[in-house]
Amino acid sequence: MPLFAQQKARLKVGYDYRARLGENVHDDDYILLSGDDGSMFFNPTTLWMDILSKDDAACQAYGAMASKLAEAGRSSEIPNRSASMYVFKDNGKQMKTVYDDYSDQYAVYSEPYAEMVWEVVPDSTKTVLGYECIMAKSDYHGRHWTGWFSPEIPMQDGPWKLAGLPGLILAAAEDGGIHSFIANGIETTDGEIPGMPRDDWYHKEDRIKFLQGKYRNAQDPLADLAAAGLPANAKIYVNNELTTPEEVRARARKVLDAGYDFLETDYHK
């Protein structure tokens, strides 16, 4: 049975995740479904595509739609699963489980809630979505985070892996100025937490080793293809855009040279 299937949520919270990629800013929409037993944090397009992947007819329909949009010069409108990370929190076990991937590497790993410790700053407040929020700070896996939680919403949860405060975390940013989350909507719900649709794709992995491999891929996103004989003058699609291998590598170098790194940086050892 997929992780968290048939468990109920109490809150549905939308978050804007923003990452600074060199000179550009990339935004992704995420949803947090949070209940008494735990929660699921995911990108809705990725969830839709992963569910769709289990149905051959649906996959064929998606392929036909993508081809028509590409032929019409509307490649940017083709849905993709670039925001592919899922985070599950299990309140009973006090564990977080992360499903993440890059290239063709799919990994799942877990960690205890206790790895994140917050210091509340009670005299610092701001308003998010009409809720008065209190500041808290945490050093977590290589970054220093500032979070804003609302005691009015008594759920010890938040975006991504952020959790453990006496109220829902509605906004958070790390001090490097690269990554941030802010809630863009919140509503009550009694819907089910859908669970992980394709846990069959993933293998258990050490978090540090996974992130080290992911960083090597960020340095050269085409290393595996090149080893398999990718021609230097090949034309390839990246995020529905036709480009060249050298352009892909140049973009990757530019982003990393400008200081981009992942949400967690303690894998640099």
Side-chain angles (χ1 to χ4, degrees), residues 4-252:
F4 270 76
Q6 300 180 359
Q7 292 192 12
K8 294 285 189 179
R10 290 176 54 196
L11 285 179
K12 179 180 180 181
V13 190
Y15 287 94
D16 176 51
Y17 164 54
R18 176 165 292 184
R20 181 167 53 80
L21 305 177
E23 298 175 353
N24 300 315
V25 174
H26 181 77
D27 288 285
D28 282 310
D29 291 324
Y30 276 87
I31 290 174
L32 174 70
L33 291 175
S34 186
D36 294 331
D37 298 318
S39 63
M40 175 180 178
F41 183 73
F42 62 97
N43 173 265
T45 300
T46 295
L47 178 65
W48 171 75
M49 292 189 69
D50 287 353
I51 293 172
L52 177 148
S53 71
K54 301 169 78 171
D55 186 309
D56 289 342
C59 289
Q60 292 175 5
Y62 171 82
M65 173 195 69
S67 295
K68 288 182 179 179
L69 287 172
E71 290 170 1
R74 298 163 58 190
S75 295
S76 63
E77 299 177 30
I78 302 173
N80 66 76
R81 65 183 305 277
S82 58
S84 57
M85 181 172 59
Y86 296 83
V87 180
F88 293 86
K89 303 186 186 87
D90 187 323
N91 295 338
K93 295 180 179 179
Q94 294 284 288
M95 294 290 291
K96 303 169 188 176
T97 299
V98 177
Y99 291 81
D100 200 1
D101 65 87
Y102 65 88
S103 187
D104 61 349
Q105 303 298 312
Y106 292 78
V108 55
Y109 57 87
S110 297
E111 65 189 64
Y113 280 14
E115 290 190 8
M116 178 170 287
V117 178
W118 293 93
E119 177 185 356
V120 177
V121 187
D123 57 346
S124 296
T125 64
K126 74 173 182 178
T127 301
V128 181
L129 292 180
Y131 293 94
E132 184 175 272
C133 296
I134 300 171
M135 178 191 288
K137 293 181 174 291
S138 179
D139 290 309
Y140 178 69
H141 290 179
R143 291 195 182 276
H144 185 70
W145 285 88
T146 298
W148 299 89
F149 70 97
S150 172
E152 297 177 63
I153 311 173
M155 304 287 284
Q156 295 190 21
D157 209 343
W160 184 50
K161 298 182 182 182
L162 306 178
L165 285 163
L168 182 69
I169 299 170
L170 292 178
E174 50 81 25
D175 284 4
I178 296 174
H179 303 278
S180 65
F181 299 91
I182 187 164
N184 53 37
I186 182 170
E187 62 185 65
T188 59
T189 181
D190 60 358
E192 289 186 356
I193 296 176
M196 187 66 198
R198 294 310 308 247
D199 49 357
D200 56 313
W201 287 348
Y202 297 79
H203 66 276
K204 290 185 178 180
E205 180 63 276
D206 176 79
R207 180 181 65 87
I208 295 294
K209 289 182 179 179
F210 173 74
L211 290 174
Q212 288 171 341
K214 189 174 182 177
Y215 188 73
R216 287 193 295 272
N217 180 258
Q219 292 175 306
D220 183 358
L222 302 178
D224 291 342
L225 289 175
L230 178 72
N233 61 348
K235 296 290 185 179
I236 55 177
Y237 276 98
V238 177
N239 292 333
N240 304 319
E241 178 185 351
L242 189 64
T243 186
T244 66
E246 185 49 42
E247 178 61 22
V248 171
R249 293 188 174 100
R251 291 177 185 177

